[in-house]
Amino acid sequence: MKVVQQEQIKEILKSIDLIPIIEQAFVTYSQGKIVTASISELIFKNPPGDVHIKSGYVLADDCYVIKIASGFYQNPSLGLPSSNGLMLVFSQRTGVLLAILLDQGYLTDVRTAVAGAIAAKYLAPTQVNKIGIIGCGTQARLQLLYLQSIIPCREVIVWGRSLNKMIDFQREMNEQGFSVQVTQTIAELTAHCQLIVTATNATAPLLWAEQIKPGTHITAIGADSADKQELDEAIFAKADIIAVDSKSQSVERGETHHALKKHKIAPTAIYELGNIIAGISQKRTTDQQITIADLTGLAAQDIAIAKTVLMSSCPPIRLS
Amino acid sequence: MKVVQQEQIKEILKSIDLIPIIEQAFVTYSQGKIVTASISELIFKNPPGDVHIKSGYVLADDCYVIKIASGFYQNPSLGLPSSNGLMLVFSQRTGVLLAILLDQGYLTDVRTAVAGAIAAKYLAPTQVNKIGIIGCGTQARLQLLYLQSIIPCREVIVWGRSLNKMIDFQREMNEQGFSVQVTQTIAELTAHCQLIVTATNATAPLLWAEQIKPGTHITAIGADSADKQELDEAIFAKADIIAVDSKSQSVERGETHHALKKHKIAPTAIYELGNIIAGISQKRTTDQQITIADLTGLAAQDIAIAKTVLMSSCPPIRLS
């Protein structure tokens, strides 16, 4: 059994193009080749925190994966990151533990950011003059960084609740080659951006239907549970394409779940990203369409990224 | 973060009396002080296997615990044990991983066996002349070994499907100071034993109502899912006391779940072991009663045994 530390994981991922790997994970998921357990969720009140345990495997594969991801929201006051977690990789043949990836949530952050880039690849307009980022935390940064290989645009408008955090975001992302403008008005962002990524912990809409112009793509990342929400449900009624990572998951959690509950859309109006990637469902066809990708996160992504780390570690970890 | 191997865990537990520790876990659970997530279950078909992920914490405690336990039933043909697993202990304050207990399922085996001993402490008749063990695997052995501190009787009758495995069981347990007789007829066992423990993977009843005499206590260990069953539901209708580790869990899985489904008993006829230990519910009062303890396993037990190992390791692992 091998233990891989976060530092090693970061080093390994530097030289790997994760886009095709996570694309394949979405396709495999939509083909029904992934078996997942129901998600276990532990909630803590004092101090506030939550833990999600996701697990699953690809049929006829070598391994199964359990992913533990936690958020303890007072950690920053202790000088610790809010997010933490690890992934465990076991043999699918014997149940033997093969490896522990002590990623502290990094692999979840990355596979989520890669999913955002994949959504943009199939759904963003061909011409993106400005990227809008709602939120200025770790995931907001990673979304922007992983978009680089897909979208040539480097002009960015960021919105966040804290001016200080926006300025930090601006400085850091400018160092990465972006040109970031901060705004305290979401309407300013929606007026100028063709590609918008929401990556906050909001529990009430931040983006409203009347703000969304034709030719906008929105990737909604923040809402991964039933109580979180970033988009006004009426945006869904305006959308030409609504893509989700998992139809069954999107009925229970995330933005789409709110839109379905309020009868803004029919369940038949939702398409899985895996089917769009595979060419079974339609990607964006004109620059005037409004498109949404609502991503709540799949065990399929966790399995794919965990396997990639193991097979790329030195020496590679044998999975069979 | 500390990794504790199975060998160290076995060494640590040698000098610890787990009975009061697991009793306290049952009491704490029945007091409603344990928060647990829903159990995640992964099922494998080829080769056949299953994985259960249980997690939880005691309110206002230091840590939370995730327990992974797997069974891969063709492992013995590869020279590996069927059971495997590990426990993860995290800070309840920050979510930081404190320790990994690579117990390979040993802690689950032990906490299950200790629960059997506790059930016998409160429910077995004062006079036990013979102990009956149904099943001759690892858990059957551990049940008998952990009964030693509670029940003075050393006369045992064992029943199993395989004569060879029964003979192995007999030899090993005789070396531990028992006097074991094997039988291929369960009726012979029920006729002579006042304390019966069932520890098989059966999916259909092995013990029938007409076989159970007054003055018998049965601890049912094997059935931990909805499809497993060792006891004829009609035994429940004959029982004076029906104890379970968790009322809510026993509605969904285990023996009691079958008896409730077939309307052999009312939900009000079931008592939690934690309340019996605390003196809130009645333990056995006469040697003529028929009593059942149906144990499906609690995260509370996992938390208690994991903490015990950590606090008893050298140097002790700090949990706060």
Side-chain angles (χ1 to χ4, degrees):
Chain A
M1 193 274 297
K2 183 157 176 168
V3 177
V4 190
Q5 302 289 336
Q6 193 197 45
E7 283 307 297
Q8 293 168 267
I9 292 169
K10 286 187 172 176
E11 201 51 45
I12 288 167
L13 290 185
K14 270 183 193 164
S15 57
I16 295 172
D17 180 7
L18 288 167
I19 302 274
I21 293 165
I22 300 298
E23 279 189 348
Q24 186 54 52
F26 284 125
V27 171
T28 306
Y29 174 80
S30 291
Q31 287 173 338
K33 290 182 185 163
I34 309 251
V35 178
T36 54
S38 60
I39 299 171
S40 281
E41 183 177 55
L42 271 180
I43 305 289
F44 299 85
K45 288 191 180 153
N46 185 26
D50 51 57
V51 179
H52 290 94
I53 308 169
K54 290 181 178 175
S55 57
Y57 63 92
V58 181
L59 289 168
D61 196 12
D62 304 312
C63 62
Y64 80 87
V65 173
I66 297 176
K67 196 268 294 275
I68 296 143
S70 67
F72 280 79
Y73 303 103
Q74 290 180 3
N75 277 1
S77 69
L78 304 167
L80 294 170
S82 302
S83 297
N84 212 322
L86 70 154
M87 292 196 191
L88 303 161
V89 184
F90 300 83
S91 163
Q92 198 179 118
R93 201 166 48 95
T94 62
V96 167
L97 178 64
L98 301 172
I100 300 176
L101 305 179
L102 293 173
D103 69 311
Q104 297 172 52
Y106 180 72
L107 290 172
T108 302
D109 286 345
V110 168
R111 62 82 156 153
T112 304
V114 172
I118 292 168
K121 179 175 168 185
Y122 293 90
L123 295 169
T126 50
Q127 189 65 34
V128 174
N129 300 320
K130 272 194 198 290
I131 299 169
I133 304 283
I134 310 276
C136 43
T138 303
Q139 186 55 222
R141 285 164 168 77
L142 284 172
Q143 285 288 332
L144 196 52
L145 293 172
Y146 276 91
L147 278 172
Q148 283 178 109
S149 69
I150 300 294
I151 305 288
C153 171
R154 297 292 176 267
E155 300 290 313
V156 178
I157 305 180
V158 66
W159 175 93
R161 288 187 207 277
S162 151
L163 184 59
N164 285 341
K165 286 186 184 165
M166 275 199 281
I167 289 168
D168 287 347
F169 179 97
Q170 181 184 42
R171 182 177 36 76
E172 284 178 39
M173 293 297 104
N174 283 354
E175 283 168 12
Q176 297 288 331
F178 292 95
S179 170
V180 179
Q181 172 194 339
V182 307
T183 184
Q184 292 184 298
T185 315
I186 286 181
E188 192 187 347
L189 183 151
T190 54
H192 296 97
C193 299
Q194 296 77 38
L195 168 55
I196 300 172
V197 181
T198 61
T200 74
N201 283 321
T203 53
L206 297 170
L207 283 186
W208 298 93
E210 57 271 24
Q211 296 170 328
I212 308 303
K213 300 173 306 168
T216 302
H217 170 71
I218 304 168
T219 297
I221 296 291
D224 56 355
S225 62
D227 59 324
K228 292 185 192 164
Q229 185 170 12
E230 298 179 299
L231 310 187
D232 172 15
E233 305 93 359
I235 300 175
F236 283 78
K238 286 180 77 170
D240 296 285
I241 299 174
I242 300 161
V244 296
D245 42 13
S246 156
K247 283 189 81 160
S248 62
Q249 215 164 276
S250 70
V251 172
E252 290 176 359
R253 49 184 74 223
E255 306 298 340
T256 309
H257 137 270
H258 293 292
L260 286 167
K261 221 166 142 184
K262 297 227 173 149
H263 305 290
K264 297 291 178 188
I265 45 166
T268 50
I270 306 162
Y271 298 92
E272 282 190 354
L273 195 52
N275 287 330
I276 295 174
I277 295 164
I280 296 165
S281 302
Q282 192 65 60
K283 63 179 185 174
R284 175 183 284 265
T285 48
T286 77
D287 266 7
Q288 288 308 298
Q289 290 173 312
I290 292 176
T291 54
I292 301 173
D294 175 26
L295 306 177
T296 53
L298 298 185
Q301 294 164 263
D302 300 324
I303 298 164
I305 200 165
K307 280 191 71 171
T308 300
V309 169
L310 293 195
M311 292 190 300
S312 312
S313 68
C314 190
I317 293 160
R318 285 187 54 203
L319 293 176
S320 55
Chain B
M1 193 274 297
K2 183 158 175 168
V3 177
V4 190
Q5 302 289 337
Q6 193 196 46
E7 282 306 297
Q8 293 168 268
I9 292 169
K10 286 187 172 176
E11 200 51 44
I12 288 166
L13 289 185
K14 271 183 193 164
S15 56
I16 295 172
D17 180 7
L18 288 167
I19 302 274
I21 293 165
I22 300 298
E23 279 188 349
Q24 186 55 51
F26 284 125
V27 171
T28 306
Y29 175 80
S30 291
Q31 287 172 338
K33 290 181 185 163
I34 309 251
V35 177
T36 54
S38 59
I39 299 170
S40 281
E41 184 178 53
L42 271 180
I43 304 289
F44 299 85
K45 288 192 180 152
N46 184 26
D50 52 57
V51 179
H52 290 94
I53 308 169
K54 290 182 178 175
S55 57
Y57 63 92
V58 181
L59 289 168
D61 195 12
D62 304 312
C63 63
Y64 80 86
V65 174
I66 298 176
K67 196 267 294 276
I68 296 143
S70 67
F72 280 79
Y73 303 103
Q74 290 179 4
N75 277 1
S77 69
L78 304 167
L80 293 169
S82 302
S83 297
N84 211 321
L86 69 155
M87 292 197 192
L88 303 161
V89 184
F90 300 83
S91 163
Q92 199 179 117
R93 201 166 49 94
T94 62
V96 167
L97 178 63
L98 301 171
I100 300 175
L101 304 179
L102 293 174
D103 68 311
Q104 297 172 53
Y106 180 72
L107 290 172
T108 302
D109 286 344
V110 168
R111 62 82 155 154
T112 304
V114 173
I118 293 168
K121 179 174 167 185
Y122 293 91
L123 295 168
T126 51
Q127 188 65 33
V128 174
N129 301 320
K130 272 194 197 292
I131 299 170
I133 304 282
I134 309 276
C136 43
T138 303
Q139 186 55 222
R141 285 164 168 77
L142 284 172
Q143 285 288 333
L144 195 51
L145 292 173
Y146 277 91
L147 277 173
Q148 284 178 107
S149 69
I150 301 294
I151 304 289
C153 171
R154 297 292 177 264
E155 300 290 314
V156 178
I157 306 181
V158 66
W159 175 93
R161 288 188 206 276
S162 151
L163 184 59
N164 284 342
K165 285 185 184 166
M166 275 200 280
I167 289 168
D168 287 346
F169 179 97
Q170 181 183 43
R171 182 177 35 78
E172 285 178 39
M173 293 297 104
N174 283 353
E175 284 168 12
Q176 297 287 331
F178 292 95
S179 170
V180 178
Q181 171 195 340
V182 307
T183 183
Q184 291 184 298
T185 316
I186 286 181
E188 191 185 348
L189 183 150
T190 54
H192 295 98
C193 298
Q194 295 77 38
L195 168 55
I196 300 173
V197 180
T198 61
T200 73
N201 282 321
T203 52
L206 297 169
L207 283 186
W208 298 93
E210 56 271 23
Q211 296 171 328
I212 308 304
K213 299 173 305 167
T216 302
H217 169 71
I218 304 168
T219 297
I221 296 291
D224 57 354
S225 62
D227 58 326
K228 293 185 191 164
Q229 185 170 10
E230 297 178 298
L231 309 188
D232 172 15
E233 304 93 1
I235 299 175
F236 283 78
K238 286 181 75 169
D240 296 285
I241 300 175
I242 300 161
V244 296
D245 42 13
S246 157
K247 283 189 81 160
S248 62
Q249 214 165 276
S250 69
V251 173
E252 290 175 0
R253 49 184 74 222
E255 305 297 341
T256 309
H257 138 269
H258 293 293
L260 286 167
K261 222 167 142 184
K262 295 226 173 150
H263 304 290
K264 297 291 178 189
I265 46 166
T268 49
I270 307 162
Y271 298 93
E272 282 190 355
L273 195 51
N275 287 330
I276 294 174
I277 295 164
I280 295 166
S281 303
Q282 192 65 60
K283 63 179 186 175
R284 175 183 284 265
T285 49
T286 78
D287 266 7
Q288 287 309 299
Q289 289 173 311
I290 291 177
T291 55
I292 301 173
D294 175 27
L295 306 177
T296 54
L298 298 185
Q301 294 164 265
D302 299 325
I303 298 164
I305 200 165
K307 280 191 70 171
T308 301
V309 169
L310 293 194
M311 292 189 301
S312 312
S313 68
C314 190
I317 294 160
R318 286 186 55 202
L319 293 176
S320 55

Coordinates of all heavy atoms in Angstrom, one line a residue, chain B residues 25 31 40 60 98 107 138 141 166 171 234 236 248 287 300 302 309:
Chain B
A25 N -20.5 3.0 24.4 CA -20.8 3.4 23.0 C -22.3 3.1 22.7 O -23.0 4.0 22.1 CB -20.0 2.6 22.0
Q31 N -28.7 7.4 23.7 CA -29.0 8.7 24.3 C -29.1 9.8 23.1 O -29.4 10.9 23.4 CB -27.9 9.2 25.2 CG -27.9 8.4 26.6 CD -26.7 8.7 27.4 OE1 -25.7 9.1 26.9 NE2 -26.8 8.5 28.7
S40 N -23.0 4.1 3.0 CA -22.8 3.9 1.6 C -22.4 2.4 1.3 O -21.6 1.8 2.1 CB -21.6 4.7 1.1 OG -22.0 6.1 0.9
A60 N -19.9 16.8 20.5 CA -19.0 17.5 21.4 C -17.8 16.7 21.7 O -17.1 16.8 22.8 CB -19.7 17.9 22.7
L98 N -6.3 12.6 11.3 CA -5.3 12.4 12.4 C -4.6 11.0 12.3 O -3.5 10.9 12.7 CB -6.1 12.4 13.7 CG -6.9 13.8 14.0 CD1 -7.8 13.6 15.2 CD2 -5.9 14.9 14.2
L107 N -10.8 -4.5 13.6 CA -11.5 -3.8 14.6 C -13.0 -4.0 14.5 O -13.7 -4.0 15.5 CB -11.2 -2.3 14.5 CG -9.7 -1.9 14.9 CD1 -9.5 -0.5 14.6 CD2 -9.5 -2.2 16.4
T138 N -14.4 -16.7 11.3 CA -13.6 -15.8 12.1 C -14.5 -15.2 13.2 O -14.2 -15.2 14.4 CB -13.1 -14.6 11.3 OG1 -12.2 -15.1 10.3 CG2 -12.2 -13.6 12.2
R141 N -15.5 -17.7 16.0 CA -14.4 -17.9 16.9 C -14.3 -16.7 17.9 O -14.2 -16.9 19.1 CB -13.0 -17.9 16.2 CG -12.8 -19.2 15.5 CD -11.7 -19.1 14.4 NE -11.2 -20.3 13.9 CZ -11.8 -21.1 13.0 NH1 -13.0 -20.7 12.5 NH2 -11.3 -22.2 12.6
M166 N -15.6 -27.1 10.7 CA -16.1 -27.4 12.1 C -14.9 -28.0 12.9 O -14.7 -27.7 14.0 CB -17.3 -28.3 12.1 CG -18.6 -27.6 11.9 SD -20.0 -28.6 12.5 CE -20.2 -29.7 11.2
R171 N -10.7 -27.8 17.0 CA -9.3 -27.9 17.4 C -8.8 -26.6 18.0 O -8.3 -26.5 19.1 CB -8.5 -28.4 16.2 CG -7.0 -28.6 16.5 CD -6.2 -29.1 15.3 NE -6.7 -28.5 14.0 CZ -6.4 -27.3 13.6 NH1 -5.6 -26.5 14.3 NH2 -6.8 -26.8 12.4
A234 N -40.7 -16.4 13.2 CA -41.6 -16.8 14.3 C -40.9 -16.9 15.6 O -41.6 -16.9 16.7 CB -42.3 -18.2 13.9
F236 N -39.3 -14.6 16.9 CA -39.5 -13.3 17.5 C -40.9 -13.2 18.2 O -41.0 -12.6 19.3 CB -39.5 -12.2 16.4 CG -38.1 -11.8 16.0 CD1 -37.4 -12.6 15.2 CD2 -37.4 -10.7 16.6 CE1 -36.1 -12.3 14.8 CE2 -36.1 -10.4 16.2 CZ -35.4 -11.2 15.4
S248 N -33.6 2.2 14.7 CA -33.8 2.7 13.3 C -33.2 1.8 12.3 O -33.7 1.5 11.2 CB -33.3 4.1 13.2 OG -31.9 4.2 13.5
D287 N -34.8 -17.1 34.4 CA -34.1 -18.0 33.5 C -34.9 -18.7 32.5 O -34.4 -19.4 31.6 CB -33.3 -19.1 34.4 CG -31.9 -18.6 34.7 OD1 -31.5 -17.5 34.3 OD2 -31.1 -19.4 35.2
A300 N -21.2 3.8 16.2 CA -20.8 4.2 17.6 C -19.7 3.2 18.1 O -18.8 3.6 18.8 CB -22.0 4.1 18.5
D302 N -17.6 1.6 16.2 CA -16.4 1.9 15.4 C -15.6 3.1 16.0 O -14.4 3.0 16.2 CB -16.7 2.1 13.9 CG -17.4 1.0 13.3 OD1 -17.0 -0.2 13.6 OD2 -18.3 1.2 12.4
V309 N -7.9 2.6 20.4 CA -6.6 2.3 19.9 C -5.7 3.5 19.8 O -4.6 3.4 20.2 CB -6.8 1.7 18.5 CG1 -5.5 1.5 17.7 CG2 -7.5 0.3 18.5

